Amino acid sequence: MELDKIENILEKYFQGETTIAEENQLKEYFSSSDVAQHLEQYKPIFGYFSQVKQQKSMQEIPLKTKKRNVAWLSIAASIVVLLGIGTYYLTGEKTTSVTAQSELGTYDDPEEALKATQKALSLLSSNVNVGIESVQYINEYEQSKNRIFKQ
């Protein structure tokens, strides 16, 4: 009767339907010396579990870990960002005040302002004159083209 019960439990074991209590019964049966002849082939499977239970590892596991202190890294990064932002704003204010006084052409002396304005207008006039001369050259080209190719 016990042999039939063991065979049923063994069949359930290979189908994955056994409980822990049934698996313990199989381990006890296969660890004993009176195992049926046709079930001897399964003895190494269940004998392995009892062997592994008795084994103990003698290997040492190193517990040293390289732990980087992430808190200091984040603090350093935030300080660098704050210094960058502060430098940007400090240099930005200085350049805008210098730009307002030098590049925008505000003069306290009216004669100096007149001279600067005349200089700027003469530069503009010379550039416009160059543009007008090139337009006259194009007009001459058009007239000569019309003479050659009468339309």
Side-chain angles (χ1 to χ4, degrees):
M1 179 72 179
E2 187 177 310
L3 187 60
D4 290 338
K5 184 179 175 184
I6 293 295
E7 287 177 351
N8 287 337
I9 295 173
L10 192 61
E11 190 173 319
K12 285 172 60 177
Y13 177 80
F14 287 122
Q15 292 177 2
E17 300 172 350
T18 56
T19 62
I20 300 217
E22 291 173 334
E23 288 180 15
N24 288 334
Q25 286 178 353
L26 286 173
K27 288 177 192 175
E28 288 175 17
Y29 176 76
F30 284 107
S31 63
S32 68
S33 60
D34 50 323
V35 178
Q37 189 76 20
H38 68 284
L39 297 178
E40 283 285 330
Q41 62 184 358
Y42 302 118
K43 193 170 184 176
I45 294 173
F46 294 100
Y48 174 76
F49 293 122
S50 62
Q51 282 179 347
V52 171
K53 260 188 193 176
Q54 294 171 358
Q55 282 183 346
K56 290 186 179 180
S57 176
M58 298 296 173
Q59 183 180 7
E60 288 187 25
I61 299 172
L63 297 177
K64 294 180 183 178
T65 58
K66 292 183 179 180
K67 185 178 179 183
R68 293 188 179 210
N69 202 348
V70 179
W72 287 109
L73 185 62
S74 62
I75 290 171
S78 62
I79 288 172
V80 167
V81 168
L82 288 175
L83 285 174
I85 291 172
T87 305
Y88 174 74
Y89 280 117
L90 287 177
T91 58
E93 290 177 6
K94 289 179 182 176
T95 55
T96 54
S97 62
V98 170
T99 305
Q101 291 176 356
S102 66
E103 292 183 13
L104 296 178
T106 55
Y107 293 98
D108 294 332
D109 186 20
E111 291 179 11
E112 191 178 337
L114 178 65
K115 288 180 184 176
T117 305
Q118 286 175 344
K119 182 180 176 184
L121 289 175
S122 68
L123 285 173
L124 180 68
S125 173
S126 65
N127 287 331
V128 169
N129 288 337
V130 169
I132 289 173
E133 288 173 3
S134 60
V135 169
Q136 289 175 352
Y137 176 75
I138 292 173
N139 285 338
E140 288 181 28
Y141 174 75
E142 282 289 321
Q143 290 173 0
S144 55
K145 184 185 83 167
N146 287 338
R147 285 184 195 157
I148 296 171
F149 304 108
K150 293 183 180 177
Q151 292 180 357

